[in-house]
Amino acid sequence: PGPWPRWLLSLLPLGCFALLLPPPGAAEFSPSLDSDFTFTLPAGRKECFYQPMRKEASLELEYQVLDGAGLDVDFHLLSPKGETLVFDERKSDGVHTVETEDGDYMFCFDNTFSTISEKVIFFELILDNMGEDGQDQEDWKKYVTGTDLLDMKLEDILESINSVKARLSKSVQIQTLLRAFEARDRNIQESNFDRVNFWSMVNLGVMVVVSAVQVYMLKSLFEDKRKSRT
């Protein structure tokens, strides 16, 4: 299970696994502004990922346990110097934002405390101030000449475009998070549905057995025992 049904998860691009770094259980993502992933964390295992960041940028990470007993996992976020920035112990979800420096940030999902149940985890990376927007603004400034006579300067247009872009990006992030919440709620409902069906069948079986025993006992009370003496 995940933000989509089980059969849909099998269609995830195999290219996601090509991002693995040489160390086992580690992956590196290209510096995109918004990336989301869903993976299965086996029982007793720990998976770590690396994200390269620039100085004075912003890294926001949202995660959520979609399926698995307890719906909980340990989460660690470490700086390029190996310092622990965030530690969540057995949480079902979390949202964390850090101001970054140059280097690779490592975040890990730990399920070693569970010996039986695997966990399905969804997480989203949101990167800000990675340098691309700044370059775009520099390109715009080349054309901001001779516009004093215009009511709206190109700087105002750029500001409006950036505002719309930020709001659209935030809308996409909220929709992605809502899909993750919906997937987790659906998994809980399906689990409850299976439990109700199982115990209903158990109760039905017990009722049938009890009814059969009662009929047998009542029948034995009215048998003519004189026939057995002859």
Side-chain angles (χ1 to χ4, degrees), residues 59-63 75 94-97 107 109 123-125:
L59 169 63
E60 180 178 348
L61 193 147
E62 303 176 359
Y63 71 90
F75 173 77
V95 180
H96 302 287
T97 303
F107 54 98
F109 298 94
F123 68 91
E124 181 180 18
L125 294 176

Side-chain angles (χ1 to χ4, degrees), residues 19-62:
L19 297 173
L20 291 176
L21 289 176
E28 179 181 14
F29 305 106
S30 60
S32 59
L33 293 179
D34 190 353
S35 302
D36 56 88
F37 297 87
T38 302
F39 71 101
T40 300
L41 182 59
R45 290 282 301 276
K46 178 180 179 180
E47 293 289 345
C48 295
F49 303 86
Y50 289 89
Q51 173 60 51
M53 296 297 297
R54 298 182 180 181
K55 187 177 181 180
E56 298 181 353
S58 175
L59 169 63
E60 180 178 348
L61 193 147
E62 303 176 359

Side-chain angles (χ1 to χ4, degrees), residues 5-205:
R6 293 178 182 270
W7 61 268
L8 189 56
L9 286 178
S10 62
L11 302 180
L12 284 174
L14 296 179
C16 292
F17 299 98
L19 297 173
L20 291 176
L21 289 176
E28 179 181 14
F29 305 106
S30 60
S32 59
L33 293 179
D34 190 353
S35 302
D36 56 88
F37 297 87
T38 302
F39 71 101
T40 300
L41 182 59
R45 290 282 301 276
K46 178 180 179 180
E47 293 289 345
C48 295
F49 303 86
Y50 289 89
Q51 173 60 51
M53 296 297 297
R54 298 182 180 181
K55 187 177 181 180
E56 298 181 353
S58 175
L59 169 63
E60 180 178 348
L61 193 147
E62 303 176 359
Y63 71 90
Q64 187 173 159
V65 182
L66 300 179
D67 195 17
L71 293 176
D72 54 358
V73 72
D74 290 346
F75 173 77
H76 305 259
L77 177 61
L78 284 77
S79 69
K81 298 178 181 179
E83 301 173 349
T84 299
L85 302 177
V86 177
F87 173 63
D88 290 342
E89 184 176 4
R90 305 193 69 166
K91 293 282 189 70
S92 60
D93 55 70
V95 180
H96 302 287
T97 303
V98 295
E99 301 298 324
T100 63
E101 57 187 16
D102 290 330
D104 294 336
Y105 283 75
M106 181 175 72
F107 54 98
C108 302
F109 298 94
D110 191 348
N111 193 32
T112 54
F113 59 83
S114 178
T115 58
I116 300 176
S117 176
E118 64 181 17
K119 306 294 173 62
V120 177
I121 300 174
F122 163 83
F123 68 91
E124 181 180 18
L125 294 176
I126 304 168
L127 313 180
D128 292 327
N129 301 325
M130 292 297 290
E132 297 179 0
D133 292 342
Q135 183 63 37
D136 292 341
Q137 292 179 3
E138 292 296 329
D139 294 338
W140 272 88
K141 290 179 181 179
K142 296 178 182 178
Y143 302 97
V144 185
T145 57
T147 59
D148 295 337
L149 298 179
L150 298 177
D151 293 333
M152 176 177 283
K153 296 182 180 180
L154 291 180
E155 294 97 325
D156 299 328
I157 298 176
L158 177 60
E159 183 179 355
S160 300
I161 292 175
N162 288 335
S163 176
V164 173
K165 179 182 176 182
R167 293 180 181 180
L168 289 176
S169 177
K170 191 62 177 179
S171 298
V172 172
Q173 296 167 13
I174 293 175
Q175 290 176 357
T176 302
L177 193 60
L178 289 177
R179 286 200 303 269
F181 277 114
E182 187 272 337
R184 185 177 67 177
D185 293 341
R186 184 175 64 248
N187 290 332
I188 294 175
Q189 291 177 358
E190 291 177 353
S191 177
N192 292 335
F193 178 75
D194 293 337
R195 292 180 181 179
V196 169
N197 285 339
F198 173 76
W199 288 110
S200 296
M201 295 300 297
V202 171
N203 289 334
L204 179 60

